[in-house]
Amino acid sequence: MSIDANWQQIQQRVDRAAKRSGRAGGDIDVVVVSKTRTVEEVEAALRAGVTELGENRVQEAEAKHAEVQLPARWHLIGGLQRNKVGKAVEIFDVIQSVDSKRLVDTLQRRSEAADRDLDVLVQVNTSGVGHQSGVEAAGIGVLLEHICDCRRLRLRGLMTIAAFSDHGPEVRRCFRQLRQLSEEHAGSHGGLDVLSMGMSGDYEIAIEEGSTMVRVGTAVFGPRPQ
């Protein structure tokens, strides 16, 4: 199927999943993950109606961002090393992978130097797997408070990557935990409107569990080239 046809199919599936959770499809933002994809593929997706792009690596995004001519909102969804923060602040509109106070401090300093505001999400490790990125649930409150003290950073919400499992209940548990954490901390941190959870293989489950933003790549572009 073409990128355009894939995008239309995703919109239909998002609509159906949203209705199952008592919402409308328009309540869900779809970030299309463009890592390893060519500029031509990215622009085809933007012409099809995509407005949000996600990249995993700053270096790859830098080259692509310079060549893509169509407007888009750029999200960093992969881990961010502090020595890449300056370039990330130039390229991205949203950093979804904030997971430490040191990274927050560097983002604030670089955003101040660049004279721009930056939307951020806190990445939470809901899978319990040690090698996966994200702050543990017990540490969320302190990190959220630290972000709120940074005048150039706009705290928007939380992000997670569910357990890599074929066991549906375990995947659903990860998403449910993030939603519960958002509800728990929203009152004391000005509202956490964004729940970024769900990827190409599980985004419908994520929407059923309250996701407001999903991240899909292969569902739009097809399998990545080997």
Side-chain angles (χ1 to χ4, degrees):
M1 295 177 69
S2 68
I3 289 173
D4 185 78
N6 287 343
W7 176 245
Q8 297 305 316
Q9 185 178 81
I10 287 169
Q11 293 296 296
Q12 293 168 7
R13 293 175 67 178
V14 166
D15 284 342
R16 290 195 294 268
K19 287 178 181 177
R20 292 196 294 272
S21 66
R23 294 177 292 162
D27 296 335
I28 316 299
D29 291 320
V30 180
V31 176
V32 172
V33 182
S34 50
K35 67 177 183 179
T36 75
R37 304 299 179 171
T38 66
V39 170
E40 291 74 21
E41 287 176 301
V42 171
E43 292 195 331
L46 294 173
R47 286 193 297 271
V50 171
T51 59
E52 315 272 339
L53 295 175
E55 287 282 337
N56 281 61
R57 295 180 176 86
V58 174
Q59 188 171 356
E60 179 184 347
E62 180 183 7
K64 203 173 297 178
H65 185 270
E67 294 187 46
V68 172
Q69 299 300 309
L70 299 173
R73 185 167 166 82
W74 293 73
H75 299 244
L76 179 66
I77 60 174
L80 177 58
Q81 297 174 318
R82 286 186 297 126
N83 63 354
K84 300 287 180 64
V85 167
K87 187 57 66 176
V89 167
E90 293 178 14
I91 296 169
F92 295 101
D93 304 291
V94 186
I95 307 294
Q96 294 205 20
S97 50
V98 175
D99 61 359
S100 73
K101 292 175 71 174
R102 292 181 71 192
L103 179 56
V104 168
D105 290 340
T106 307
L107 283 166
Q108 164 61 24
R109 186 172 64 253
R110 289 290 194 165
S111 297
E112 189 74 58
D115 192 25
R116 68 170 305 201
D117 297 327
L118 192 65
D119 287 350
V120 298
L121 305 182
V122 168
Q123 182 171 357
V124 183
N125 184 337
T126 56
S127 70
V129 177
H131 64 78
Q132 285 196 1
S133 299
V135 64
E136 299 296 327
I140 290 177
V142 172
L143 187 55
L144 294 177
E145 185 173 346
H146 193 61
I147 294 170
C148 289
D149 289 337
C150 298
R151 72 182 192 92
R152 286 295 192 173
L153 304 184
R154 295 186 297 228
L155 177 62
R156 298 296 311 283
L158 307 178
M159 182 269 261
T160 198
I161 299 172
F164 295 113
S165 173
D166 293 328
H167 185 54
E170 173 61 13
V171 173
R172 195 175 289 275
R173 180 200 64 76
C174 294
F175 297 144
R176 188 171 297 144
Q177 181 184 3
L178 195 75
R179 187 190 74 236
Q180 291 169 344
L181 288 168
S182 176
E183 293 169 351
E184 177 184 341
H185 291 280
S188 55
H189 295 97
L192 300 172
D193 298 328
V194 177
L195 278 180
S196 176
M197 55 188 195
M199 300 190 293
S200 287
D202 56 22
Y203 68 90
E204 291 174 273
I205 296 174
I207 292 170
E208 291 169 0
E209 291 298 332
S211 176
T212 67
M213 179 180 288
V214 297
R215 311 177 303 272
V216 299
T218 55
V220 174
F221 295 112
R224 290 189 178 86
Q226 300 298 317

